[in-house]
Amino acid sequence: MRFSKYMNEWLYGEDGYYKSFKAIGKEGDFFTAVSTSAFFGASIANYIYSLMQDDIRKKDVALVEIGAHQGYLMGDMIRWLYTLDESLLDSMRFIIVERQDAVIKAQKEYFDKNFGNAVNIEYVKSLSELNLDSAIFVSNEIFDAFPCNLFKDGKVAVVSEHKIDWIDASIKEIEFAKKHNLRTGEIAVGYEEFAKEIVSCAKSFDFLSFDYGEKYVRNDFSIRVYSKHKTYPLFDEELKLQEHFKKSDITYDVNFAHLIDAFNSVGAKLIEYGTQARALVRFGIIDILEQYYKVSTQAQYLAQADKVKTLIAPTVMGDRFKLVHFRS
């Protein structure tokens, strides 16, 4: 089978890695911006509120998170929106797109515990279930979990019994490689269909997503396996695929040029592409931290300031992660 099918089975097949709820943070396989600090979600909410203030979005807009995991990001955004304007909890719709029942169950438990009946969270398993007039889509680290094919010098990877071999690439894959100056690396599968689904489910939208990657190809494989905060390159001789299959996370760097092409092809306009650091500072994360300073102890403030530093420091997450923002 082609590697994309193997990866899809690894992550989403029966008993796949993402079929059950996975911890994030110290107890899990990896960290994300969401698990690092609640100020990440607050900053995004701050920007969403600015869109309302600028009359780009109305107060009845639907906030849709795709791949919400524990629900922490949606929760953090709701808390800050409530701080800015209590009426938004009644005027806005809050929707989570999640196809895994075990994850939905964990999210519902989190929202029941933290918000009770104060907030109504709607759940759908597919974007095709939505028909929205106006929406703001938010996601964090979803595109690195799309299955991908592995391309190298005109050939693509196939897998049999957890062993990788190479066959001639298709004409379509070769054309893609020429367009993106790709000699060696990953070709994501599904970006085009995803962009079509976003455009189809909302008449007007802003789409904001954070992920790691670049707008150019490195001409090297970035695909890797994460297990208990250790990283194993896929082609590491010591890595035994059968030992990690469906048990560890597998991911790769996003080719943002590919993603931008996919959204442009369906008529969405690129508003911004840039580092997470620049985006969060522009969204107001420093101002939010200063407001927190006024109501917290010095120890509390220093702890949160250290977490914010992790989000925006160039040598940690600040430059490695990118924001991409589309509008239609």
Side-chain angles (χ1 to χ4, degrees):
M1 70 177 77
R2 281 176 174 256
F3 187 84
S4 58
K5 186 175 181 181
Y6 179 72
M7 183 175 174
N8 188 72
E9 185 66 22
W10 181 320
L11 294 176
Y12 308 108
E14 185 177 355
D15 299 323
Y17 182 77
Y18 285 133
K19 289 293 282 188
S20 60
F21 184 77
K22 293 292 185 296
I24 289 178
K26 291 182 179 180
E27 301 304 318
D29 289 327
F30 50 89
F31 287 99
T32 71
V34 178
S35 65
T36 300
S37 171
F39 283 66
F40 178 72
S43 300
I44 298 172
N46 207 52
Y47 178 63
I48 290 171
Y49 186 68
S50 76
L51 296 179
M52 298 177 190
Q53 296 296 100
D54 294 339
D55 208 30
I56 296 172
R57 296 292 157 197
K58 303 296 184 183
K59 291 187 176 183
D60 62 352
V61 67
L63 176 56
V64 184
E65 186 180 359
I66 303 169
H69 202 72
Q70 290 112 318
Y72 294 172
L73 177 55
M74 178 64 86
D76 293 340
M77 290 189 291
I78 289 173
R79 287 188 181 93
W80 191 249
L81 288 168
Y82 177 81
T83 300
L84 295 169
D85 184 346
E86 295 181 14
S87 70
L88 293 176
L89 267 63
D90 295 319
S91 65
M92 294 179 66
R93 290 176 65 185
F94 302 101
I95 304 170
I96 289 177
V97 182
E98 177 56 62
R99 54 183 173 178
Q100 310 296 347
D101 290 331
V103 179
I104 293 174
K105 181 176 182 292
Q107 291 168 357
K108 287 183 175 180
E109 290 173 354
Y110 165 75
F111 286 110
D112 285 345
K113 179 180 178 180
N114 287 273
F115 297 95
N117 296 322
V119 180
N120 178 39
I121 307 292
E122 303 173 46
Y123 294 88
V124 297
K125 291 192 173 184
S126 170
L127 288 168
S128 63
E129 297 178 45
L130 298 176
N131 183 15
L132 304 170
D133 289 326
S134 177
I136 298 173
F137 296 96
V138 174
S139 69
N140 184 56
E141 294 188 43
I142 65 167
F143 292 111
D144 58 80
F146 277 55
C148 69
N149 280 314
L150 307 181
F151 183 91
K152 183 178 181 181
D153 298 327
K155 295 185 178 294
V156 291
V158 291
V159 185
S160 178
E161 297 182 349
H162 303 289
K163 302 294 183 182
I164 294 177
D165 203 353
W166 301 88
I167 63 171
D168 290 339
S170 68
I171 293 175
K172 184 177 180 180
E173 288 164 332
I174 291 173
E175 290 176 346
F176 177 94
K178 287 180 179 178
K179 179 178 181 180
H180 291 273
N181 298 313
L182 177 69
R183 296 187 304 276
T184 301
E186 299 82 17
I187 300 178
V189 176
Y191 286 1
E192 290 78 11
E193 186 58 36
F194 179 84
K196 289 178 184 177
E197 290 180 346
I198 292 291
V199 169
S200 297
C201 73
K203 295 181 178 68
S204 175
F205 66 82
D206 281 89
F207 179 96
L208 298 93
S209 188
F210 291 85
D211 223 316
Y212 42 80
E214 298 290 348
K215 202 176 178 180
Y216 57 85
V217 297
R218 302 188 319 179
N219 277 312
D220 193 8
F221 290 114
S222 65
I223 191 159
R224 55 204 178 269
V225 172
Y226 283 121
S227 181
K228 305 301 180 185
H229 300 293
K230 292 184 178 180
T231 305
Y232 304 90
L234 187 73
F235 293 100
D236 189 323
E237 293 181 357
E238 297 182 4
L239 179 68
K240 293 179 173 56
L241 293 181
Q242 64 270 26
E243 294 180 1
H244 291 273
F245 185 66
K246 297 186 176 183
K247 299 174 184 177
S248 304
D249 192 23
I250 183 169
T251 185
Y252 58 96
D253 286 6
V254 174
N255 177 352
F256 280 99
H258 180 189
L259 185 62
I260 291 168
D261 279 351
F263 272 84
N264 285 344
S265 70
V266 294
K269 179 183 179 182
L270 177 65
I271 300 299
E272 180 181 358
Y273 165 79
T275 65
Q276 175 172 290
R278 187 176 73 175
L280 293 182
V281 170
R282 189 169 65 81
F283 288 0
I285 195 168
I286 302 302
D287 295 335
I288 295 171
L289 184 61
E290 290 177 353
Q291 291 181 53
Y292 181 74
Y293 173 77
K294 298 175 182 178
V295 297
S296 64
T297 65
Q298 184 177 23
Q300 290 172 331
Y301 169 76
L302 291 175
Q304 291 301 321
D306 190 55
K307 292 179 180 180
V308 168
K309 183 179 178 181
T310 298
L311 290 174
I312 64 176
T315 56
V316 190
M317 301 179 83
D319 282 357
R320 177 93 171 90
F321 286 75
K322 307 296 191 300
L323 163 74
V324 65
H325 177 187
F326 300 103
R327 179 174 294 156
S328 177

